[in-house]
Amino acid sequence: MAPTSSLLIRHARILLPNGEFLPGDVQICDGKIVGVAAEIVASGDREIDASGLTLLPGVIDPQVHFREPGLEHKEDLFTASCACAKGGVTSFLEMPNTRPLTTTQAALDDKLRRAAEKCLVNYGFFIGATSEILPDLLSAHPTSGIKVFMGSMHGDLLMDDAAVLEAIFAKGDRLIAVHAEDQARINQRRQEFAGICDVAIHSQIQDNQAALLATQLALKLSKKYQRRLHILHLSTGEEAEFLRQEKPSWVTAEVTPQHLLLNSSAYETIGSLAQMNPPLRSPRDNEILWQALLDGVIDFIATDHAPHTLAEKAQTYPNTPSGMPGVETSLPLMLTQAVAGKCTVAQVANWMSTAVAKAYKIPNKGKIAPGFDADLVLVDLEKYRPVVGKEMASKCGWSSFEGWNLTGWPVVTVVGGKVVFENGKLDTNVRGKALTFDADM
């Protein structure tokens, strides 16, 4: 049978799996890459002239909060996936703190159904752990893993009981991803700093020690049970140095662009738009996290995209919610660092795509090679333009990086062989697919 659809990307600077660049063409048929060469003679149903552009594997963002169901006034799966497409994010893994919580197969199925109807990009969802330890925690599928909130959470998802936490590590072999903050220390420091309304106090209440204590406990349990562990949004130098000494081969860690590029001085300029969990830290923490990322102590990058309305952010601390949007700016933020010499473009692609696919065992993603899915992004590494919050596709309409002058903005985003974003315009008819995970039962 002849292919039902074909796409040719010509004259691109193609990032190959070995980290080298090839000036050439990429041939795509029925959503798969079938050819990568200096020149491909065949023609396609559609051809894109990528002269002057760099072709990278599409970003896989492994930690987002897209707010649907239950909190759609902040964001929903359609608006968030539009933001993904504009940002070169072709797949995402979404967290369980929606309403209702994603703690059962039924809730997971509901999210998958919603995503199939609304998402312009590929999607996967975590299952949330509660103190009840519901049976679906081990059987629900498809899922990227179990999400455990050790702190900075309230209600059923807060897992601040060490005995219950150990019971989760002790049973099954599904990946456990932890938000590592020690709730007891946070509670104690909230009392110490009670009555202070300056949002900058957030970084002192949820301090470096709160993060380190939780990461140490998670790693201890992971080692005891040889359990696959992923540490979400690492934020402190202390944690990075601890993992440099203690991290076994089956443990991975991630960092966000904001924990690399912003620090607690941001409260002075953007106020609560700098508030997130775990909080922004010191410039020294930025430096240590960068080095840990470059050295492979930290494995990849996630955004922790967690939008709130500007009205919610305008409240007085501690009533201001924690979180910031990120999927639309993460790739240009990191590529701007690469062009500035902080890292390489190949490293950025590894941290934001290849290494994520490997860690979560997502087949056929994260590389530009025959047989891989055609999830791709063409970026312009020559032009710079500023971040403008009100132009964001994310429903919240703001960015903590407002005014930052960035390069590497996506020009074309391809999901499953279909052009979903091109030269500023979205094709909202494109739909992604549910991700599969080789480790999923």
Side-chain angles (χ1 to χ4, degrees), residues 379-437:
V379 298
D380 188 336
L381 293 172
E382 300 295 325
K383 291 179 183 172
Y384 283 76
R385 64 178 174 83
V387 176
V388 180
K390 64 177 185 286
E391 294 178 359
M392 297 280 128
S394 179
K395 191 180 284 189
C396 70
W398 58 271
S399 170
S400 300
F401 295 95
E402 179 81 33
W404 284 46
N405 202 33
L406 305 178
T407 189
W409 291 97
V411 177
V412 177
T413 304
V414 177
V415 175
K418 296 175 182 173
V419 176
V420 67
F421 175 73
E422 185 174 19
N423 295 319
K425 292 183 180 178
L426 290 162
D427 182 347
T428 57
N429 294 310
V430 173
R431 289 295 176 268
K433 294 180 179 178
L435 295 171
T436 58
F437 309 94

Side-chain angles (χ1 to χ4, degrees), residues 155-221:
D156 291 344
L157 287 181
L158 177 59
M159 300 289 295
D160 58 350
D161 184 319
V164 177
L165 190 65
E166 179 153 5
I168 288 171
F169 273 85
K171 193 169 184 182
D173 56 9
R174 182 166 274 179
L175 177 149
I176 296 172
V178 296
H179 178 127
E181 288 189 278
D182 185 271
Q183 190 62 39
R185 182 169 177 86
I186 293 171
N187 291 343
Q188 171 202 332
R189 291 178 71 78
R190 275 185 185 150
Q191 292 179 346
E192 288 176 29
F193 296 103
I196 298 177
C197 297
D198 180 357
V199 68
I201 203 69
H202 187 65
S203 291
Q204 292 187 52
I205 293 172
Q206 295 176 213
D207 66 350
N208 290 37
Q209 187 67 12
L212 178 62
L213 287 169
T215 291
Q216 288 172 330
L217 175 58
L219 197 72
K220 178 184 174 183
L221 292 171

Side-chain angles (χ1 to χ4, degrees), residues 12 15 112 290 352:
L15 178 65
L112 288 163
W290 259 112
M352 300 190 75

Side-chain angles (χ1 to χ4, degrees), residues 60-67 93-95 97 147 149 152 179 181 232-235 254-259 275-279 301-308 322-327 330 398:
I60 306 170
D61 191 333
Q63 191 194 176
V64 300
H65 302 264
F66 283 171
R67 306 306 191 195
L93 302 180
E94 207 259 355
M95 291 299 166
N97 55 327
K147 170 68 180 285
F149 288 90
S152 294
H179 178 127
E181 288 189 278
L232 299 160
H233 45 41
L234 211 69
S235 65
E254 72 187 28
V255 67
T256 69
Q258 53 269 32
H259 284 119
Q275 180 187 335
M276 66 173 297
N277 298 329
I301 287 168
T303 64
D304 192 20
H305 177 98
H308 302 281
S322 294
M324 56 182 70
V327 293
S330 60
W398 58 271

Side-chain angles (χ1 to χ4, degrees), residues 21 51 53 71 81 86 90 101 167 192 200 245 264 312 327 330 337 383 385-386 392 413 434:
F21 288 93
S51 298
L53 302 177
L71 296 163
S81 66
K86 282 186 70 179
T90 53
L101 304 173
E192 288 176 29
Q245 301 300 322
S264 53
E312 289 167 335
V327 293
S330 60
Q337 300 303 305
K383 291 179 183 172
R385 64 178 174 83
M392 297 280 128
T413 304

Side-chain angles (χ1 to χ4, degrees), residues 320-342:
T320 43
S322 294
M324 56 182 70
V327 293
E328 214 163 325
T329 53
S330 60
L331 184 59
L333 279 166
M334 294 308 299
L335 288 174
T336 300
Q337 300 303 305
V339 171
K342 192 97 179 184

Side-chain angles (χ1 to χ4, degrees), residues 41-59:
V41 178
S43 59
D45 298 333
R46 170 99 194 267
E47 296 194 8
I48 293 173
D49 182 359
S51 298
L53 302 177
T54 298
L55 186 66
L56 304 174
V59 172

